[in-house]
């Protein structure tokens, strides 16, 4: 996001850059394309987790869809299941990703409870990530299952709303979380404005509403100076939820 949106980035400093591989959190096609155009380079995505040593899928530039994390690496199997029942869902439907392969861990040390919850029958690892396959069978990561906002029975992925918000020229960075208001969980966006941007919360909510289905609308906006992130760039959503 910084490479795409930060005005102080010196483009000439990246003249020898040939390839960027992005992981840690879902990257929207719009942000990916902006980095490629701005730095005259190629950007691909990969996906995995520490418990899978860590790579599970990877893109091939020009072959895989930009918004996807590609296809499974060799000797790796994937399944999509209902996160509650663990019943298989169709590849094009959203479900929790299960992984099986030689890179999957044997288990957490001295933690049988976590092992029972994470490693299930057949040698499958529950990842906690919600995803689906596109027509080319590239995997599209939606968000972490525990981060999905449940608004009036509908599921809203914070990463999807962040991707939409980041296409606004006046927004430098953003984080979205679910918060409780009047007995409902609603999407709340924390926004960093570009230095020269004059935006109001209402303008941002109206702008998003024009681009998403009604149940996905952002229903609260706050302006902050910094989005809390860990060293690998993942948004620390717990820290955002703690903001009054």
């Amino acid at each position: 996001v910084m490479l795409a949106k930060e005005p102080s980035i010196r483009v000439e400093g990246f003249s020898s850059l040939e390839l960027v591989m992005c992981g840690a959190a879902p990257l929207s096609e719009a942000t990916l394309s902006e980095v490629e155009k701005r730095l005259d380079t190629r950007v691909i995505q990969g996906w995995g987790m520490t418990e899978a040593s860590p790579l599970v899928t990877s893109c091939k530039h020009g072959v895989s869809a930009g918004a996807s994390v590609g296809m499974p690496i060799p000797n790796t199997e994937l399944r999509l299941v209902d996160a509650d029942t663990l019943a298989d869902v169709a590849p094009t439907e959203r479900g929790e990703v299960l992984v099986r392969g030689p890179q999957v861990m044997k288990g957490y040390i001295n933690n049988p409870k976590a092992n029972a919850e994470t490693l299930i029958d057949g040698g499958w690892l529950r990842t906690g990530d919600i995803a689906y396959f596109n027509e080319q069978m590239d995997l599209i990561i939606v968000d972490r299952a525990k981060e999905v906002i449940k608004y009036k029975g509908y599921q809203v992925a914070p990463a999807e709303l962040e991707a939409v918000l980041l296409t606004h020229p006046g927004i430098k960075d953003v984080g979205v979380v679910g918060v409780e208001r009047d007995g409902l969980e609603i999407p709340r966006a924390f926004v960093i404005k570009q230095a020269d941007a004059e935006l109001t919360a209402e303008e941002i909510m109206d702008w998003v509403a024009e681009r998403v289905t009604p149940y996905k609308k952002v229903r609260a906006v706050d302006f902050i100076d910094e989005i809390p992130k860990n060293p690998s760039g993942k948004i620390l959503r717990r820290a955002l939820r703690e903001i009054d």
Side-chain angles (χ1 to χ4, degrees):
V1 173
M2 181 181 290
L3 291 176
K5 307 280 282 187
E6 173 54 55
S8 66
I9 292 290
R10 295 174 56 252
V11 175
E12 60 271 19
F14 295 86
S15 59
S16 62
L17 184 63
E18 297 182 5
L19 177 69
V20 175
M21 187 170 185
C22 181
L27 178 66
S28 72
E29 189 160 3
T31 300
L32 182 151
S33 297
E34 183 62 27
V35 173
E36 288 191 325
K37 180 180 177 181
R38 189 180 187 194
L39 302 185
D40 190 24
T41 190
R42 298 176 297 146
V43 180
I44 62 173
Q45 295 195 70
W47 169 76
M49 56 194 302
T50 303
E51 291 86 344
S53 305
L55 193 61
V56 175
T57 69
S58 181
C59 282
K60 290 184 177 180
H61 190 271
V63 177
S64 303
S68 81
V69 294
M71 303 181 74
I73 61 174
N75 303 316
T76 300
E77 300 172 87
L78 301 183
R79 283 171 58 197
L80 296 182
V81 301
D82 182 284
D84 296 321
T85 67
L86 298 185
D88 288 279
V89 301
T92 54
E93 293 181 14
R94 296 185 178 194
E96 181 181 351
V97 187
L98 305 188
V99 177
R100 182 166 67 183
Q103 75 274 48
V104 171
M105 68 171 185
K106 293 184 179 296
Y108 300 107
I109 295 177
N110 300 325
N111 197 338
K113 182 177 184 294
N115 289 332
E117 294 171 348
T118 307
L119 298 167
I120 61 176
D121 291 345
W124 294 98
L125 170 70
R126 294 191 65 172
T127 67
D129 282 323
I130 302 298
Y132 64 94
F133 288 97
N134 63 14
E135 293 179 354
Q136 292 75 41
M137 294 304 291
D138 288 322
L139 190 68
I140 311 289
I141 300 293
V142 176
D143 215 328
R144 296 288 294 167
K146 64 182 180 181
E147 304 294 356
V148 171
I149 301 164
K150 296 178 175 62
Y151 175 75
K152 292 186 176 180
Y154 294 100
Q155 294 191 343
V156 182
E160 287 186 307
L161 287 176
E162 289 161 359
V164 172
L165 285 157
L166 283 170
T167 63
H168 192 296
I171 293 177
K172 185 175 181 179
D173 203 356
V174 63
V176 175
V177 295
V179 296
E180 186 173 333
R181 295 283 171 83
D182 299 324
L184 291 175
E185 187 179 25
I186 64 167
R188 180 187 186 188
F190 292 89
V191 171
I192 300 177
K193 294 187 288 186
Q194 293 285 14
D196 58 349
E198 295 184 5
L199 290 171
T200 66
E202 290 73 21
E203 287 172 341
I204 291 175
M205 287 188 283
D206 290 344
W207 188 87
V208 174
E210 294 173 357
R211 290 161 174 79
V212 301
T213 55
Y215 71 85
K216 291 184 178 181
K217 292 192 296 185
V218 170
R219 298 173 189 275
V221 173
D222 293 273
F223 297 103
I224 58 177
D225 296 325
E226 182 179 5
I227 304 296
K229 298 181 180 181
N230 70 9
S232 66
K234 289 183 181 179
I235 295 173
L236 299 176
R237 300 191 195 279
R238 181 181 298 178
L240 287 178
R241 291 191 195 96
E242 293 174 353
I243 297 176
D244 292 333

